[in-house]
Amino acid sequence: PFALDTARQALRGWEQANRRLVGVEEAEKRSLSAQVMDSRERSDELRRQRDSKAREAAEERERRLDAQDEAQRLHAQVRNINAEIARLRQAARRAESERAAAERRAALPSRDELVFQFA
């Protein structure tokens, strides 16, 4: 019986040690599982942030391209308006020149008047 009691005590000691070891391993497993979940959540959050930044960058690039297109359109419109202004100024100078020439011709005596004056 002494050997049997000793074997039973050794078995109980081994079972208690095994349970403690299993408990420690389970606690470590839960801790590692929590760390893995935290890492996954952080990874997902970083991925969402990266995707959001990429979308923002694409939207900003699109706005910049639209602004450049609008600036080019406005520059072309300004060039066209300036060309029209130059054309109108030239036409105004030509009309003024023609008006002045007409006034000078009107101020000159006609052929009949000259004949009359010299006769």
Side-chain angles (χ1 to χ4, degrees), residues 71-85:
Q72 288 176 349
R73 187 188 68 75
L74 290 173
H75 283 297
Q77 187 176 1
V78 166
R79 281 192 303 274
N80 291 340
I81 289 171
N82 285 338
E84 180 68 10
I85 288 171

Side-chain angles (χ1 to χ4, degrees), residues 6-94:
T6 303
R8 285 184 182 147
Q9 283 179 343
L11 183 59
R12 277 194 294 273
W14 181 81
E15 286 174 346
Q16 288 174 351
N18 194 34
R19 278 194 293 275
R20 279 192 299 270
L21 182 59
V22 167
V24 167
E25 287 175 350
E26 287 294 322
E28 187 175 341
K29 181 181 171 183
R30 285 190 299 274
S31 174
L32 289 173
S33 294
Q35 289 177 17
V36 166
M37 286 301 277
D38 287 345
S39 293
R40 284 182 182 158
E41 289 173 5
R42 181 69 180 140
S43 175
D44 290 345
E45 177 60 26
L46 289 172
R47 189 175 298 109
R48 282 190 293 275
Q49 289 177 3
R50 181 198 64 205
D51 293 347
S52 176
K53 293 292 182 188
R55 277 191 305 276
E56 288 175 13
E59 290 169 358
E60 179 60 30
R61 188 171 34 256
E62 194 62 34
R63 282 191 297 272
R64 183 175 35 83
L65 290 173
D66 288 347
Q68 287 174 344
D69 289 346
E70 180 68 7
Q72 288 176 349
R73 187 188 68 75
L74 290 173
H75 283 297
Q77 187 176 1
V78 166
R79 281 192 303 274
N80 291 340
I81 289 171
N82 285 338
E84 180 68 10
I85 288 171
R87 187 188 66 74
L88 291 172
R89 284 182 178 154
Q90 180 66 27
R93 282 192 294 271
R94 194 172 26 250

